[in-house]
Amino acid sequence: MTSKALATALVACALGAAACGATANGASVGSAQDGGSISPAQDTAADFAAPAKEAGTNSAPLAESPAASPAAGKDIQAKALSGKVVVIDPGHNGGNYRDTAAINKKVNVLTQWKACDTTGTSTNDNYSEAAFTWDVSQRLAKILKSRGATVKLTRANNTSVGPCITQRAAIGNKAKADAAISIHADGAPSADHGFHVIMPKKIDGPVDPVVGASKRLGVDVRNAFRSGTGIPYSTYIGSKALDYRSDLGGLNLSTVPKIFIECGNMRNAKEAAEFRQPAFRQKIALSLANGLQSYLK
């Protein structure tokens, strides 16, 4: 299952990969997962987009500019990322709950078989992880583009289903991204708090050559996120907000440096309240941009 031959074949045909997989209302749920999809891999999310209008989602409108929010801080070095390619993976999707058959489909993540995607978690007052990650990802993309980077997102809206984590990994690979980041927020017990960054382990697979670079990316993003947002290191997982996993398809199948970030715990009252604030989401996006730039410079 973990041989180099199998890994190469899986990357070539974009098969296999998902993560956490408990179920709720018949749909897979989880946080540090990957994505979900039911169509062939594409290099941009626009190819599998649903309606552009997102009526009924709880994402807040974007700020007019990356530095529009006072909490966002001062932007740095316009065009500093010229020539760099960054792939942003907004975890989950707002329409996943509508198609349990698609997101519960088992895929091969090279180390095991898991659900194609999950619905993600939410705050206690139903602000969904999918809406949070979509909003932060749009803000992050805007900042990175203002600094000269080429940016691709793995999904084009928050109303569709998927894509599967196999496709999310394939998008980063096909783009030959200099860095890829999958954005999430956790659904841990309410007493737990803090953020953590997830990095890949060697699995005798396609990710092996970029494990070292992914670790450097993870440390740079960890440092910028902590200093930029004030969110503490996770109290319940990892060491100094760093965690290493071999069960996430979005990492296992990546041939480019890639990390996941759990921006905090949506079930913790303090962090949930912060995540609901547009100005704080802008601060998160700017911190992530600064971490990516630190790695890419």
Side-chain angles (χ1 to χ4, degrees):
M1 183 69 69
T2 60
S3 71
K4 292 183 179 178
L6 175 58
T8 301
L10 287 171
V11 173
C13 61
L15 289 176
C20 315
T23 60
N25 299 322
S28 294
V29 296
S31 189
Q33 194 256 352
D34 294 87
S37 174
I38 48 179
S39 60
Q42 304 291 335
D43 65 342
T44 66
D47 295 305
F48 49 80
K53 184 179 180 182
E54 298 202 21
T57 65
N58 47 12
S59 295
L62 291 182
E64 290 185 2
S65 69
S69 165
K74 188 176 181 180
D75 204 353
I76 57 175
Q77 288 189 303
K79 308 307 177 186
L81 296 178
S82 179
K84 301 297 184 180
V85 177
V86 179
V87 169
I88 303 171
D89 176 26
H92 314 287
N93 204 327
N96 280 2
Y97 72 94
R98 294 197 308 266
D99 196 341
T100 58
I103 67 168
N104 285 332
K105 174 186 173 184
K106 295 297 182 182
V107 293
N108 189 343
V109 303
L110 303 184
T111 56
Q112 58 187 284
W113 289 77
K114 304 186 86 167
C116 166
D117 200 4
T118 74
T119 59
T121 189
S122 67
T123 63
N124 291 333
D125 60 353
N126 297 318
Y127 178 48
S128 72
E129 181 184 2
F132 168 79
T133 64
W134 175 242
D135 183 87
V136 169
S137 294
Q138 287 183 292
R139 294 173 185 275
L140 174 57
K142 189 171 184 179
I143 297 169
L144 293 174
K145 288 177 181 178
S146 77
R147 298 181 184 182
T150 297
V151 180
K152 295 180 182 293
L153 272 70
T154 60
R155 59 183 173 102
N157 56 61
N158 195 42
T159 57
S160 301
V161 177
C164 273
I165 54 184
T166 49
Q167 290 175 268
R168 297 183 191 233
I171 290 168
N173 295 347
K174 188 172 182 179
K176 299 187 185 304
D178 295 290
I181 183 168
S182 188
I183 298 173
H184 290 261
D186 218 347
S190 60
D192 296 330
H193 66 276
F195 80 96
H196 65 281
V197 176
I198 304 171
M199 293 160 292
K201 292 180 176 180
K202 288 188 176 182
I203 58 165
D204 192 24
V207 74
D208 288 12
V210 294
V211 163
S214 297
K215 180 178 180 180
R216 292 192 297 275
L217 171 61
V219 170
D220 283 342
V221 169
R222 187 273 310 266
N223 293 344
F225 194 86
R226 176 70 182 94
S227 63
T229 67
I231 298 176
Y233 292 165
S234 171
T235 59
Y236 60 97
I237 193 169
S239 174
K240 296 181 179 179
L242 300 178
D243 189 34
Y244 300 86
R245 290 175 60 171
S246 61
D247 65 320
L248 299 179
L251 297 182
N252 288 356
L253 291 172
S254 182
T255 59
V256 301
K258 185 173 182 180
I259 61 169
F260 279 41
I261 183 165
E262 296 282 0
C263 295
N265 181 14
M266 297 195 88
R267 295 294 184 174
N268 177 272
K270 181 178 184 297
E271 290 173 357
E274 290 174 331
F275 291 165
R276 274 199 165 278
Q277 300 171 18
F280 197 82
R281 295 196 297 272
Q282 183 72 14
K283 182 185 288 189
I284 287 174
L286 184 58
S287 300
L288 293 174
N290 289 345
L292 286 161
Q293 180 163 326
S294 179
Y295 168 77
L296 291 169
K297 66 184 180 182

